[in-house]
Amino acid sequence: MNKLAKELLKKNNNREKAIFDENKEIYTNMIVYLRGSDLSEYNQEVVRGDIIELIIDGQQRGDNIKKVMGGRYKEICDQIIEAMPKKTKKDKVMDFLDMSLHALWVLGVISLAKNFIISLISNKAGFEFILTVGDIINGLAIILIANVIVLYITKTAFGAKKEKKVVSFLKTWFIAAAVLAAMILSNVYFRTIAVNISLWLAAITVILIFVIWKIISERA
């Protein structure tokens, strides 16, 4: 996120505190839906700021968000999104690099910690960084699942009917259990070593990935 977007984000975070509790749920749904749009982070914050001001102005007149928006929350969001400039190809490439490098350094840190602990327990002479085919598959699966979850949440922010808590809880745990089982099986059956380097070299690589991500993130 670039500097202008960060400044606007901070301003909106402070301004939204003035939104009454009774209006927060619908406001949150609108912003979640907005996050899944094809707008840049800066333009998302511009739209978010406009929505906040509309709600606060309505509150000052004694109107709730339903009266201000006419109950057409999704339609209003779609109209605003349609009127705003979309991401360019460059923006999309930068977003992809931002997301990919962020996931890489986070997973890299986790792998470093795991390999460091294994090296300590096994009392090996040298610290090694080992990735199996199963580790790589699991890493890619985590990134894919995370993106699918985010996409699902943003696209269903205005779900017509809320699921019962018990059904939602059971569904969530069933999916989590299935994913966990698949990851365990992947580690059991795909144990071929794909990467075997010094732990220190791996640490330097992760640091470089982090630095590159920070540079791209500031420009995205």
Side-chain angles (χ1 to χ4, degrees):
M1 182 179 287
N2 61 42
K3 187 177 179 181
L4 288 175
K6 282 183 180 178
E7 289 175 353
L8 198 50
L9 173 68
K10 186 177 180 180
K11 178 183 175 183
N12 287 338
N13 286 344
N14 289 327
R15 190 65 174 141
E16 73 177 7
K17 293 175 183 176
I19 297 176
F20 296 160
D21 288 343
E22 63 182 281
N23 296 325
K24 282 184 178 177
E25 182 178 356
I26 295 172
Y27 161 74
T28 300
N29 288 341
M30 293 181 76
I31 302 309
V32 169
Y33 185 76
L34 182 66
R35 296 304 186 203
S37 70
D38 197 26
L39 301 182
S40 67
E41 289 180 324
Y42 176 78
N43 283 332
Q44 286 181 23
E45 290 304 321
V46 170
V47 174
R48 181 185 171 205
D50 290 342
I51 291 172
I52 291 170
E53 294 307 319
L54 279 173
I55 295 170
I56 292 175
D57 287 346
Q59 289 175 170
Q60 291 172 348
R61 297 192 304 269
D63 298 335
N64 60 22
I65 192 170
K66 185 174 182 180
K67 189 169 183 181
V68 171
M69 304 290 180
R72 298 169 53 251
Y73 315 115
K74 184 177 182 298
E75 290 83 352
I76 288 173
C77 285
D78 286 336
Q79 288 172 6
I80 295 172
I81 291 168
E82 187 63 31
M84 294 292 289
K86 304 299 183 293
K87 290 179 183 176
T88 63
K89 287 183 179 179
K90 180 185 175 182
D91 291 333
K92 291 178 180 178
V93 170
M94 294 294 282
D95 283 350
F96 176 77
L97 289 174
D98 183 13
M99 178 194 70
S100 300
L101 292 172
H102 184 264
L104 272 177
W105 79 257
V106 170
L107 293 174
V109 169
I110 294 170
S111 294
L112 281 171
K114 184 186 81 170
N115 278 275
F116 180 71
I117 292 169
I118 290 172
S119 294
L120 284 178
I121 293 172
S122 61
N123 290 318
K124 289 183 179 179
F127 289 97
E128 294 180 325
F129 180 84
I130 297 173
L131 281 182
T132 65
V133 173
D135 291 329
I136 295 172
I137 291 173
N138 286 340
L140 293 173
I142 289 170
I143 294 171
L144 177 62
I145 291 167
N147 279 282
V148 169
I149 290 172
V150 170
L151 181 64
Y152 175 79
I153 291 172
T154 56
K155 295 304 180 184
T156 59
F158 295 108
K161 188 178 180 180
K162 298 285 185 182
E163 286 184 314
K164 292 182 179 179
K165 288 186 177 180
V166 175
V167 175
S168 179
F169 176 81
L170 290 174
K171 184 185 288 186
T172 300
W173 276 104
F174 175 78
I175 294 171
V179 170
L180 182 61
M183 291 176 70
I184 292 172
L185 289 173
S186 176
N187 270 331
V188 170
Y189 290 104
F190 297 96
R191 298 187 61 81
T192 303
I193 294 176
V195 177
N196 186 356
I197 59 176
S198 161
L199 191 66
W200 313 116
L201 178 58
I204 291 171
T205 303
V206 171
I207 291 170
L208 285 174
I209 292 172
F210 174 77
V211 170
I212 295 170
W213 167 72
K214 284 293 290 183
I215 293 170
I216 290 176
S217 180
E218 291 295 330
R219 296 180 181 180

